Amino acid sequence: MSATTVREAALAAPPPPGGRRRRYRAPDAAGPVTYVLLVVTAFLFIVPFYYMVVAASRPMAEMNTSPPPFLPGPYLWQNITTALDQQAIGLSIVNSLIVSGITTAGTLLFCTLAGFAFAKLRFRGKKALFAITIGTLMIPPSLGVVPLYKLMSDWGLAGRLESVILPTLVSAFGVFFMRQYLVQTLPDELLEAAKVDGASSTRTVVSIVLPIARPGMAVLGMLTFMTSWNDFFWPVITLNSTTPTVQVALNNLGSGYVPDTSIIMAGTLVGTLPVIVVFLLLGRQIVSGIIAGAVKG
Amino acid sequence: MSTPSTTAPPAPAGPRATPGPRPSLRSRLFRLEGVTAPYAYVAPFFLLFLAFGLFPLVYTMWISFHRYELGSDPEWTGWDNYTWLFTNPKFYNALLKTITIGILSTVPQLLLALGLAHLLNYRMRARNVFRVSMIMPYATSVAASTLVFAQIFGRDGGLANWLLSLVGLDGLDWRNGDLSAQIAIAVIVTWRWTGYNALIYLAGMQSISTDLYEAAALDGANRWQQFVHVTLPGLRPTILFTVVVSTIGATQLFGEPLLFGGVDGGALNQYQTLGLFMYQQGWAFGALGRAATIAWVTFLLIVVLVLLNTALARWRDRDTEGARR
């Protein structure tokens, strides 16, 4: 976080060498047109969320009228309870919390360690190993799905949460992200000092690297949690309706024979709510995290 | 800190006094730890990648040469699966749909993102409110967003058809149409990813030196010219990155069509993408060998597309540099 706030501060107030006016020149101040366009776009981006609430709070029959209703109705709670009954949405939320929680913890630990090694330590083959790490980003996850499914069946893990957790315990993106973060924020002098004091690597990691990495880890943690919570492809393949994650439960809810859209929307709302809450609370950090993790020229 | 030996020599000259002639066991262990630690730190990533990334990748190819259903042993069939695939009209259909939906979603998505990033880069009030609202769709899952849009694109009482009726057009049966269903799916993808790409472009824009803009402004370039001659060239690596990532994403498209109309991708496979085709073969029909074949062919397609993109970017690079000289 601090890296981006520093950058934003630098952007907002560059040292004005030629008087006050110059600082407005580079990234110009927004005009009214910009505001209008952004408000319209923001509206378009948010309307589906609102519509989710509208549809979730009315009986299905009312949703099929024309014009469609625009205001929330009184049946929200009733629809939600029906949805919870139908597809074990409550269980699926617990499952998703378990999967996302463990995945996030594993990713934070492993990616921070690897990121630190790639950022600050010297070792043979470092360049090649890092290149491989970045290269793996190019491999689409769906490619290995057939053998992965076989592997999980052979191990008796198919249909169990472990089959979703194991392959996602670490991510190349996370390694890359933590490396970028530590290159910028971890001063070499501090590591030198620790070395001179005779601290072992483990000790250095625990008492110097981890505290400094914490803001970056917070951002990576949120991104990982969101990605894991929203993961669809692999969970739908490997999990079934006895141990669903939220996304699997929503898929089942949506593929019923006589789908009741209001109930589906109620379930969708419940399944989306945790992420929305996280986003409303920590949206700024997530945004700066995405910006910090982006590839730059 | 706990090693008392370092306290004895004052050692003011060198930053690190070399240890005595015979290193103690302790310091040898210490050095060994220093040498092995980096490998221990990167090991989890590589072990997990080997097990769940590389191994399945190679194994997929092996399976693609087999007739394989779960529970039974794989049976070697040579190129049979590939022959089956390349003589199957459904494969070409899926390939075509993947390409059309890919273009319908990627092109508007990236153009819109570029424009949005440009707007977000202005100095303004409530900047963070805008940025967060742009990225909200990214936080939504495939399942949630597709289900909401399925409602919006409903035949009766859907928001989209109501809007059409406002401008005097007949409502569409979005889901059962051909192009209409593809457009609907492209809208879902665009909605989810535009803001994310806008933020990535924004990051790229912020790393472009302000000096360049000032120089351009001194030369009399207006905002549009600055955008074309400073922003776009500066963003080229970022644009290439997003094009590659979106291309890969487009070839992987799976959840949206699945939730929009089931495993077959519409009654006439109007929106059966390669990802969905693979899922249908492997998990609806149980033909995992065929699914592996589709996966492998998709991968080759991705490699070709990525190489093509990169080559195109290089070629354009050389082109513009030549023009500048």
Side-chain angles (χ1 to χ4, degrees):
Chain A
M1 200 178 75
S2 63
T4 40
T5 33
V6 166
R7 190 179 326 129
E8 277 176 14
L11 188 86
R20 254 182 156 201
R21 281 216 170 155
R22 291 197 67 156
R23 80 154 83 150
Y24 285 92
R25 190 175 278 163
D28 297 79
V33 183
T34 304
Y35 281 109
V36 170
L37 286 175
L38 282 179
V39 167
V40 169
T41 326
F43 177 76
L44 286 176
F45 281 164
I46 289 170
V47 153
F49 291 105
Y50 174 74
Y51 206 60
M52 197 191 285
V53 178
V54 173
S57 59
R58 286 173 176 274
M60 182 174 135
E62 287 181 24
M63 291 312 294
N64 289 339
T65 54
S66 187
F70 298 106
L71 293 174
Y75 293 97
L76 182 62
W77 190 243
Q78 194 183 324
N79 285 340
I80 286 180
T81 29
T82 315
L84 289 178
D85 287 346
Q86 261 187 25
Q87 273 299 332
I89 300 243
L91 170 74
S92 77
I93 288 181
V94 174
N95 283 342
S96 277
L97 282 174
I98 294 173
V99 169
S100 306
I102 298 180
T103 300
T104 306
T107 303
L108 284 184
L109 177 68
F110 296 142
C111 292
T112 307
L113 287 179
F116 165 59
F118 282 130
K120 295 289 174 178
L121 298 181
R122 267 185 239 157
F123 56 101
R124 249 169 208 241
K126 173 170 146 178
K127 273 193 176 163
L129 289 177
F130 190 63
I132 294 174
T133 310
I134 298 304
T136 61
L137 280 170
M138 290 283 154
I139 300 176
S142 70
L143 183 68
V145 154
V146 176
L148 208 53
Y149 187 69
K150 178 175 158 39
L151 212 66
M152 292 301 170
S153 313
D154 290 350
W155 291 350
L157 294 181
R160 295 168 56 107
L161 294 182
E162 289 94 320
S163 65
V164 179
I165 295 172
L166 278 175
T168 51
L169 271 179
V170 67
S171 73
F173 167 78
V175 174
F176 175 72
F177 181 88
M178 286 316 297
R179 179 192 173 268
Q180 299 298 90
Y181 186 80
L182 288 172
V183 161
Q184 283 174 14
T185 51
L186 184 61
D188 289 331
E189 295 79 30
L190 216 53
L191 296 173
E192 271 308 312
K195 216 176 196 178
V196 171
D197 284 347
S200 68
S201 298
T202 325
R203 171 131 200 177
T204 312
V205 165
V206 172
S207 48
I208 294 178
V209 179
L210 288 184
I212 287 183
R214 203 178 291 155
M217 289 168 79
V219 172
L220 178 63
M222 286 182 291
L223 289 176
T224 309
F225 191 89
M226 258 167 39
T227 313
S228 176
W229 186 274
N230 290 334
D231 197 10
F232 188 75
F233 188 75
W234 173 238
V236 161
I237 286 178
T238 182
L239 296 179
N240 46 46
S241 51
T242 52
T243 52
T245 56
V246 170
Q247 310 309 327
V248 177
L250 288 182
N251 178 41
N252 294 338
L253 206 57
S255 59
Y257 283 104
V258 192
D260 182 326
T261 43
S262 296
I263 307 297
I264 293 175
M265 283 301 109
T268 312
L269 185 64
V270 173
T272 312
L273 222 49
V275 181
I276 297 198
V277 169
V278 168
F279 222 81
L280 290 180
L281 291 175
L282 306 162
R284 275 185 61 172
Q285 280 91 320
I286 297 176
V287 166
S288 55
I290 292 170
I291 292 184
V295 172
K296 274 173 258 175
Chain B
M1 279 208 287
S2 54
T3 40
S5 62
T6 49
T7 55
R16 283 187 70 204
T18 40
R22 46 194 159 72
S24 64
L25 177 68
R26 193 195 168 100
S27 74
R28 258 188 288 166
L29 274 179
F30 182 74
R31 221 182 285 166
L32 187 70
E33 199 255 6
V35 173
T36 50
Y39 297 103
Y41 296 159
V42 299
F45 171 78
F46 285 99
L47 288 178
L48 285 164
F49 169 68
L50 281 181
F52 303 114
L54 193 62
F55 167 71
L57 182 91
V58 177
Y59 201 45
T60 301
M61 187 187 232
W62 189 80
I63 288 185
S64 74
F65 290 108
H66 290 74
R67 181 193 167 84
Y68 175 47
E69 275 144 38
L70 206 69
S72 66
D73 285 329
E75 181 191 325
W76 178 267
T77 54
W79 292 96
D80 276 13
N81 285 330
Y82 288 88
T83 321
W84 165 82
L85 188 68
F86 287 116
T87 52
N88 190 338
K90 299 231 162 173
F91 165 66
Y92 294 99
N93 174 64
L95 187 62
L96 183 71
K97 302 305 180 189
T98 306
I99 292 172
T100 52
I101 298 176
I103 292 173
L104 282 173
S105 56
T106 309
V107 174
Q109 182 194 128
L110 294 183
L111 289 178
L112 284 173
L114 204 55
L116 267 180
H118 186 67
L119 295 182
L120 287 170
N121 203 17
Y122 284 128
R123 294 162 45 76
M124 68 179 87
R125 285 163 189 279
R127 194 173 59 175
N128 278 312
V129 174
F130 284 124
R131 288 184 180 178
V132 171
S133 61
M134 298 294 140
I135 198 77
M136 281 290 277
Y138 167 73
T140 326
S141 66
V142 173
S145 55
T146 308
L147 292 171
V148 176
F149 274 94
Q151 173 67 36
I152 290 174
F153 285 113
R155 197 189 53 189
D156 310 308
L159 216 50
N161 276 349
W162 177 74
L163 284 175
L164 285 182
S165 75
L166 282 189
V167 288
L169 292 172
D170 283 339
L172 291 171
D173 189 354
W174 292 91
R175 201 186 296 232
N176 290 323
D178 187 355
L179 189 63
S180 65
Q182 294 182 50
I183 290 176
I185 290 169
V187 167
I188 305 173
V189 178
T190 307
W191 179 77
R192 270 190 78 214
W193 290 99
T194 300
Y196 176 81
N197 283 308
L199 283 194
I200 294 198
Y201 286 147
L202 182 63
M205 285 178 185
Q206 295 193 346
S207 69
I208 298 174
S209 159
T210 50
D211 295 351
L212 288 174
Y213 288 100
E214 286 184 11
L218 282 179
D219 285 349
N222 62 28
R223 277 184 182 182
W224 173 248
Q225 286 166 329
Q226 288 180 23
F227 179 73
V228 172
H229 295 290
V230 180
T231 310
L232 283 185
L235 273 185
R236 184 164 295 154
T238 318
I239 292 176
L240 179 67
F241 171 77
T242 54
V243 168
V244 168
V245 169
S246 315
T247 309
I248 295 179
T251 47
Q252 304 286 299
L253 206 63
F254 163 74
E256 291 88 348
L258 175 70
L259 277 147
F260 200 59
V263 200
D264 301 328
L268 301 167
N269 311 121
Q270 311 97 299
Y271 41 95
Q272 186 173 54
T273 56
L274 285 170
L276 197 51
F277 187 41
M278 175 185 121
Y279 180 73
Q280 183 201 34
Q281 292 298 324
W283 284 272
F285 299 165
L288 287 168
R290 289 180 173 177
T293 310
I294 299 168
W296 196 253
V297 171
T298 308
F299 179 58
L300 291 182
L301 186 76
I302 291 174
V303 171
V304 169
L305 283 173
V306 168
L307 288 178
L308 211 69
N309 279 327
T310 331
L312 206 67
R314 286 242 177 87
W315 174 69
R316 282 220 44 188
D317 247 4
R318 226 181 29 206
D319 212 38
T320 43
E321 255 164 47
R324 249 180 236 150
R325 267 181 215 134

